[in-house]
Amino acid sequence: MCEISEKLEKAKEYICKRAGIKPAVGIVLGSGLGNFAERAEIVSEIPYEDIPCFPRSTVEGHKGRFVFGKIGNTPVVIMQGRVHYYEGYPMEDVIMPARIMGLLGIKTLLLTNAAGGVNKGFSAGDLMLIKDHISCFVPNPLIGKNLSELGTRFPDMSEVYDRELSGRIKACAESLGTELKEGIYCQLTGPSYETPAEIKMLSVLGADAVGMSTAVEAIAARHMGVRVCGISLITNMAAGISEVPLSHEEVKEAADKAEVKFGALVERFIAGLSE
Ligand code: HPA
């Protein structure tokens, strides 16, 4: 087994050879939002399975590749499909893609996900700007020897989701006439959905949405000094708030329905970063 830094170096070297463009912005696409890459002027596509030492996504509906290209004039790397902790990977593998994007030179990372609505003011289909997160129900992804070439041992997390970038996202939503909720995202491990009691607890703790990704990637990116922003698509109201049992099909269906409004918002935001 290679050391983490060795794995990162090998994967980065391989990707650099095939990418054909130096990305300034990374975009992670959540469940069912994978078609967003069609909006890019694509330069190259690298399936995760081709990349040495790289984890593979096993979730249905996740394509599993990096797409390099341009959105407007902004050079981007898009992660079509992410790796989740519940798939059984160690946390160091879960955050490896985020770290690689950092090593490829991105300055900004946009994280997107599908999430359950905890805030009773939300409805399925809403978009939520992530203002902050609660990650303490999952292992901290920086546990272990600190990779000092990436960042400091005790990184500050007082503003994970960059205020200026968040302001730009809000302005884009407004200009498109798209309603954008705001709130706190809580990451749990999954893969089972929550119980109504757990959702009640999360609500008391101040969470507005719940999901199974994102916060650990945000931590890894901030460790490296990458600016982070995030948008959740509320695909369903969480257990106990919704009367009906939850299913992955429902999540995918809602994600498909919101794809156009979500895609338009992300496209405008990303293109605007180089204007
Ligand atoms: N809970 C956790 N993760 C989710 C949900 C949910 O209700 N919906 C989409 N991802």
Side-chain angles (χ1 to χ4, degrees):
M1 238 325 233
C2 308
E3 285 273 321
I4 306 173
S5 44
E6 226 176 293
K7 291 205 294 193
L8 288 170
E9 195 48 43
K10 273 193 188 149
K12 181 198 134 185
E13 238 176 68
Y14 178 85
I15 294 168
C16 273
K17 277 191 203 132
R18 279 184 62 178
I21 191 167
K22 188 172 157 34
V25 177
I27 308 168
V28 181
L29 302 177
S31 239
L33 306 171
N35 294 330
F36 175 77
E38 287 167 9
R39 291 176 181 259
E41 188 190 311
I42 296 174
V43 172
S44 64
E45 292 175 352
I46 310 179
Y48 297 156
E49 62 200 32
D50 291 358
I51 304 170
C53 308
F54 204 79
R56 264 142 242 195
S57 173
T58 61
V59 187
E60 209 190 314
H62 285 240
K63 287 200 177 88
R65 63 183 172 209
F66 281 119
V67 176
F68 288 83
K70 274 187 159 187
I71 302 226
N73 272 324
T74 309
V76 296
V77 50
I78 300 171
M79 268 183 71
Q80 235 177 350
R82 52 153 62 92
V83 180
H84 300 85
Y85 188 57
Y86 62 73
E87 293 176 78
Y89 298 105
M91 209 42 113
E92 70 183 54
D93 281 0
V94 174
I95 59 164
M96 187 174 167
R99 282 179 156 169
I100 300 259
M101 291 191 285
L103 291 172
L104 291 172
I106 63 160
K107 300 283 179 265
T108 299
L109 177 63
L110 170 63
L111 296 164
T112 71
N113 59 48
V118 175
N119 184 324
K120 290 188 176 147
F122 291 179
S123 326
D126 280 350
L127 293 174
M128 181 192 90
L129 179 71
I130 304 177
K131 280 198 307 191
D132 201 351
H133 72 221
I134 297 170
S135 74
C136 52
F137 295 110
V138 297
N140 191 292
L142 305 179
I143 288 174
K145 183 172 172 289
N146 184 48
L147 301 182
S148 54
E149 66 275 26
L150 302 187
T152 178
R153 171 76 290 187
F154 301 109
D156 173 58
M157 293 288 147
S158 52
E159 192 188 310
V160 176
Y161 301 88
D162 190 280
R163 231 171 276 172
E164 197 260 336
L165 295 173
S166 297
R168 282 173 176 266
I169 295 173
K170 279 200 255 185
C172 289
E174 211 172 298
S175 71
L176 287 163
T178 299
E179 192 193 2
L180 185 63
K181 300 281 193 350
E182 284 182 48
I184 293 172
Y185 175 89
C186 179
Q187 178 174 0
L188 300 185
T189 65
S192 53
Y193 290 116
E194 304 70 33
T195 64
E198 286 162 348
I199 293 301
K200 204 183 269 180
M201 172 192 74
L202 295 184
S203 168
V204 169
L205 295 180
D208 296 293
V210 60
M212 305 173 192
S213 68
T214 302
V216 293
E217 295 157 338
I219 292 170
R222 287 305 304 139
H223 178 233
M224 300 178 77
V226 172
R227 295 173 76 194
V228 172
C229 52
I231 307 170
S232 291
L233 166 61
I234 306 299
T235 49
N236 57 281
M237 291 311 287
I241 298 177
S242 157
E243 296 290 315
V244 292
L246 308 185
S247 73
H248 187 51
E249 279 59 45
E250 177 194 2
V251 168
K252 280 194 295 188
E253 219 178 280
D256 289 346
K257 264 196 211 154
E259 180 132 23
V260 171
K261 123 178 131 167
F262 171 78
L265 174 60
V266 173
E267 186 175 3
R268 184 163 294 192
F269 166 63
I270 300 290
L273 290 174
S274 60
E275 277 161 11

